[in-house]
Amino acid sequence: MRTDLFASRHIGINEGDLEQMLQTVKAGSLDQIITETIPSDIRLAKPLALPKAMSEHEFLSHIKELSLKNKLYKSYIGLGYHESITPSVIQRNILENPGWYTAYTPYQAEIAQGRLEALLNFQTMVIDLTGMELANASLLDESTAAAEAMSMLFEVRTRPQKKDGIAKFFVSDEVLPQTISLLQTRSKPLGIELVIGNDEEFEFGNDFFGALLQYPGKYGEVKDYATFVAKAKENEIKVAVAADILSLVLLTPPGEFGVDVVVGTTQRFGIPLGYGGPHAAFFATKEQYKRNIPGRIIGITKDADGQPALRMALQTREQHIKRDKATSNICTAQVLLAVMAGMYAVYHGPQGLKYIADKIHNLTRTLSEAFANLGFEQLNTIYFDTLKINVPHAETLKDITADRGINFNYIDDQTVSISINEATEVSDLDTILSCFTELKSTVENGSIKEPVNEVIPYTLSRKSPFLENEVFNTYHSETELMRYIKKLERKDLSLNHSMISLGSCTMKLNAATEMLPLSWAEWGNIHPFVPLDQAEGYQEVLRGLEKDLTTITGFAGTSLQPNSGAQGEYAGLMLIRAYHKSRNEEHRNICLIPASAHGTNPASAVMAGMKVVVTKTDERGNIDIVDLEEKAKLHSDNLAALMVTYPSTHGVFESSIKHITKIIHEHGGQVYMDGANMNAQVGLTNPATIGADVCHLNLHKTFAIPHGGGGPGVGPICVAEQLKPFLPGNPLVKTGGTNAITAISGAPWGSSLVCLISYAYIKMLGEQGLTHSTKMAILNANYIKERLSGNYEVLYTGENGRAAHEMIIDCRPFKQNGIEVTDIAKRLMDYGFHAPTVSFPVAGTLMIEPTESESKAELDRFCDALISIRKEIDRAVDNPTDNPLKNAPHTMSMLTSEHWDFPYSRQEAVFPLPYVSDNKFWPTVRRVDDAYGDRNLICSCTPIEAYMEYK
């Protein structure tokens, strides 16, 4: 084995195992499998034009060299992004720990209790600081959270407002510019009319349904919004506030002056700037909106023994259940970053946060008084951390600050704003003042003195306590926090324990070499709005990644801005809208979506202002071409797009795909390809070859960014030539196409920091490694299919009986034994495995995807587990209600209890196969009761006494 070849480390199958596996799948070669799986008319004629693969050592040298091209200036730009300090204990034990970053979204609650508790801490932190009643478990960034607030308030309009078509939404001109840009993107398809203006001059008429305010404002001014909110209520206008979460330690929480929604970012709570992300946004609201809140909520329930347990609450809001009726996109979360932010609050506690906020505020006051001594006018009357300075000759000041390695926010040629942050020290104030001293060409000393005057009036100062729960007042030493983090980690099953074979979610290796640079300051500490010449390293990485993804997809251009797969879907559809509008065909609004499509697709189409028309699938699970053609003809004048997943969600390369895309083009539509299954395409075929016009890629799937328990994600869009001019822009940094649509996310390049991972993945695999990875993913799926043959029926296969990179096994026949698919999912936990995707896209099935990273030994353990469970299903006919599947998962407390009343042994319960005892994973709770938790919704940390009602 070549030790310098990354592919040999990334791909789990060795040469010896390969021969055995080929025998099992009855193929003479790997190429035979591919030929029998992928239609010949869409196979690539030549290899991808990508550079030769780097070794891991070469790549680390390369990325270090690029990092040094970034300039680590002190950035006081603000505008929603501030340098923060990541506590080393959190960096080491969460950000750099595969036990946290490789976990999957906590759909299987019994093996995700640690992550769920960390997210409950996050929700509690947000509820306490905002003064609201309910919070979700994070959104993508502040700007998208504000857009979600607008959408929710539009959805919950009063009946008279809906009847009268009230659709105006007021946005204060104090709101961050990137947020306004994103609101413009989101409002148009929904028919919302944005009115942007001065909140102090706003006329409270009855033609508005909602309003958005910024607290503090974009340049730092803190306003008393109590009167505004009261007047809004009188006129039945609901109010959302975008708030700086750290400022709420000192300022009156918005919930206390009656707002309906509070949103913002938790980036200030120990999360690196990362040139724009990823950062966990927050969304807090009133209890009455619990059925409308976007994203996911973590709630408390009970398990089968009546003990407290956590799970995702109100899960029926997921798109794959509600589809085009979904009120939100549950995929839009930043779990890993939310866990870090919540742990930051746990580590510092209320007193620590108060110390940090006071320090920042006092330094800002000190600086303000020093400016006054120098003769500069400071324009903010009430502020937390940001000063607005009247500066004649601001361009000259910019030259001076550049020489000193400092960035301010230059509002215009007469005004700058300066935002102080957690990392600012007194010595930094000296440097800041020296720039202004030089500007005046004077020897006057803007001396640093303790501030005298209070600037936050009593009426706006926080009086209510926060973070009183035990968890925020216990773990303040590093030893205690390290142990708390480890305690939670042990409750979660992640990729560092066993294979996670989720279909369509591609849980592959997230290599250590890919992850290491994320901890380097040269990548983590760059503000997204710095001048481009300060981010040359980032620009080279981002341009390189865009180029490589464009090559891989066969398209003409790429945007990295969408910061989740769901955002990518939405962005792709918005480009299609812009394209039709440019051709004076804005009336095209029909989106055809096959019944087998990803559940997020219909929700995204509705968000993009399109009408969904569902097309049928045939008995083999393929798109019904006759039905598709009929509906394309019927809607020919108004056809906007087809959304198609390829290979299909059923795990099949449909041979008629080029005919399908041709039909859409003949009727004036564009083809959007969902890139969730791109792991079966790279190097062998591509979206351009099948006839698509745009696709999104899940970098957190195919291109190795870890799931992090449900985020970070990156969902770039790759487009054909005709859509390239419309790639999304940003109001502060030039990016996107020549006719760019408004922003899709807050930062110019979305979650830039984690793009380093995909850049590394492509550079270290190269063309040969990428292509071989795809082949091995397809082989591994077919190996599992053959090993399970005779025990489970695979629902759909291609024309030659092959699966793509995933397959669906049918568990519906087991109902005759009293066994449901959920019972199999829970029983797999006792065997040490996370369940495959449950009941999607077909109810009562499991969708399995092994990826290329797993070894034959691990694939065999997984197959052995499912085969053993199949035998248990047969035995269950003797006792349909009391068997290992119905009682799964089994916990250590069950095993060690004095009483064992089950008709099977303890050994059969917890050590069903010999390999299990060698590496046993213990679920910490028994099967959770979802319905009970939804009926009794509790989504914040609760004193232990409150749990008594659950017993």
Side-chain angles (χ1 to χ4, degrees), residues 26-84:
K26 303 176 183 62
S29 67
L30 188 55
D31 284 339
Q32 180 185 335
I33 285 281
I34 302 306
T35 298
E36 292 172 354
T37 304
I38 303 179
S40 59
D41 65 335
I42 61 167
R43 288 289 302 275
L44 297 182
K46 56 185 179 181
L48 297 172
L50 296 172
K52 180 187 173 190
M54 296 181 182
S55 70
E56 293 182 70
H57 179 71
E58 286 174 326
F59 176 77
L60 285 173
S61 297
H62 167 71
I63 204 71
K64 172 57 75 173
E65 184 179 327
L66 289 183
S67 75
L68 298 178
K69 293 184 178 181
N70 294 325
K71 298 174 183 176
L72 280 181
Y73 282 22
K74 282 280 188 177
S75 287
Y76 305 103
I77 297 171
L79 293 176
Y81 301 93
H82 305 266
E83 184 178 352
S84 66

Side-chain angles (χ1 to χ4, degrees), residues 421-483:
N421 57 64
E422 182 187 6
T424 307
E425 302 294 344
V426 172
S427 59
D428 296 313
L429 302 192
D430 285 327
T431 307
I432 291 170
L433 289 170
S434 71
C435 298
F436 286 82
T437 302
E438 182 175 336
L439 182 66
K440 289 192 73 173
S441 301
T442 176
V443 294
E444 291 180 57
N445 182 16
S447 58
I448 302 298
K449 298 177 182 177
E450 286 294 318
V452 176
N453 300 319
E454 292 290 340
V455 295
I456 298 177
Y458 181 79
T459 53
L460 280 175
S461 63
R462 183 174 194 121
K463 302 163 193 71
S464 54
F466 58 93
L467 303 187
E468 294 183 297
N469 305 85
E470 183 180 356
V471 70
F472 299 109
N473 293 279
T474 303
Y475 306 106
H476 300 326
S477 74
E478 180 168 336
T479 303
E480 287 300 308
L481 186 69
M482 174 181 67
R483 289 173 181 161

Side-chain angles (χ1 to χ4, degrees), residues 539-551:
Q539 286 299 308
E540 191 165 331
V541 166
L542 298 174
R543 287 195 303 268
L545 181 57
E546 287 175 352
K547 181 181 178 182
D548 289 347
L549 295 177
T550 301
T551 299

Side-chain angles (χ1 to χ4, degrees), residues 606-623:
V606 171
M607 281 177 62
M610 296 183 183
K611 295 180 180 179
V612 173
V613 174
V614 177
T615 67
K616 299 176 184 176
T617 54
D618 63 24
E619 68 281 356
R620 296 180 62 85
N622 297 326
I623 294 172

Side-chain angles (χ1 to χ4, degrees), residues 76-133:
Y76 305 103
I77 297 171
L79 293 176
Y81 301 93
H82 305 266
E83 184 178 352
S84 66
I85 298 172
T86 306
S88 298
V89 62
I90 294 175
Q91 176 176 313
R92 183 73 163 177
N93 293 287
I94 297 179
L95 178 62
E96 298 175 348
N97 183 352
W100 284 95
Y101 66 68
T102 69
Y104 183 60
T105 304
Y107 292 120
Q108 298 295 329
E110 297 84 357
I111 51 175
Q113 288 295 298
R115 213 162 345 115
L116 289 165
E117 181 173 330
L119 291 174
L120 193 73
N121 294 343
F122 174 87
Q123 290 178 177
T124 305
M125 171 191 82
V126 171
I127 289 169
D128 281 7
L129 288 170
T130 60
M132 300 303 287
E133 299 167 347

Side-chain angles (χ1 to χ4, degrees), residues 652-663:
V652 175
F653 281 94
E654 298 182 41
S655 59
S656 57
I657 187 64
K658 293 184 80 169
H659 180 46
I660 289 168
T661 57
K662 185 171 181 286
I663 290 170

Side-chain angles (χ1 to χ4, degrees), residues 235-500:
N235 290 273
E236 294 189 352
I237 298 171
K238 295 180 172 64
V239 179
V241 169
D244 180 312
I245 195 165
L246 188 56
S247 75
L248 300 183
V249 172
L250 301 184
L251 300 177
T252 302
E256 293 181 12
F257 48 81
V259 306
D260 298 278
V261 185
V262 186
V263 300
T265 176
T266 58
Q267 181 266 315
R268 300 195 82 160
F269 279 24
I271 310 301
L273 285 164
Y275 204 37
H279 308 139
F282 64 86
F283 188 109
T285 188
K286 297 179 177 179
E287 178 85 12
Q288 71 193 77
Y289 302 130
K290 65 184 180 183
R291 294 281 173 181
N292 304 93
I293 189 171
R296 57 186 71 150
I297 308 171
I298 309 307
I300 300 170
T301 187
K302 62 181 181 178
D303 73 359
D305 285 336
Q307 297 298 313
L310 303 172
R311 90 285 180 243
M312 289 201 296
L314 305 176
Q315 286 176 301
T316 53
R317 292 171 297 105
E318 297 173 40
Q319 290 94 321
H320 66 250
I321 296 172
K322 284 196 169 183
R323 298 175 73 80
D324 56 313
K325 300 296 190 297
T327 59
S328 72
N329 195 326
I330 203 167
C331 296
T332 53
Q334 298 279 22
V335 171
L336 183 67
L337 296 312
V339 167
M340 291 176 64
M343 211 61 76
Y344 179 93
V346 169
Y347 192 40
H348 291 307
Q351 296 306 315
L353 292 184
K354 182 75 163 51
Y355 173 82
I356 293 167
D358 279 338
K359 176 191 172 186
I360 291 171
H361 181 57
N362 289 335
L363 287 174
T364 310
R365 290 165 58 207
T366 299
L367 188 61
S368 179
E369 293 186 15
F371 279 134
N373 293 339
L374 274 176
F376 287 95
E377 183 183 10
Q378 201 282 111
L379 303 174
N380 287 337
T381 304
I382 305 171
Y383 55 83
F384 165 60
D385 66 353
T386 300
L387 305 176
K388 186 178 179 183
I389 320 293
N390 186 288
V391 184
H393 313 298
E395 280 298 320
T396 304
L397 178 64
K398 186 183 290 189
D399 294 335
I400 294 170
T401 56
D403 291 339
R404 285 173 168 77
I406 291 176
N407 290 313
F408 297 148
N409 178 35
Y410 293 89
I411 300 169
D412 55 41
D413 60 3
Q414 298 287 315
T415 322
V416 301
S417 66
I418 301 173
S419 295
I420 302 304
N421 57 64
E422 182 187 6
T424 307
E425 302 294 344
V426 172
S427 59
D428 296 313
L429 302 192
D430 285 327
T431 307
I432 291 170
L433 289 170
S434 71
C435 298
F436 286 82
T437 302
E438 182 175 336
L439 182 66
K440 289 192 73 173
S441 301
T442 176
V443 294
E444 291 180 57
N445 182 16
S447 58
I448 302 298
K449 298 177 182 177
E450 286 294 318
V452 176
N453 300 319
E454 292 290 340
V455 295
I456 298 177
Y458 181 79
T459 53
L460 280 175
S461 63
R462 183 174 194 121
K463 302 163 193 71
S464 54
F466 58 93
L467 303 187
E468 294 183 297
N469 305 85
E470 183 180 356
V471 70
F472 299 109
N473 293 279
T474 303
Y475 306 106
H476 300 326
S477 74
E478 180 168 336
T479 303
E480 287 300 308
L481 186 69
M482 174 181 67
R483 289 173 181 161
Y484 178 59
I485 292 171
K486 189 64 180 179
K487 183 181 86 168
L488 298 189
E489 181 193 341
R490 284 198 301 266
K491 297 180 180 184
D492 284 13
L493 191 150
S494 301
L495 269 175
N496 63 347
H497 182 274
S498 60
M499 174 172 74
I500 299 179

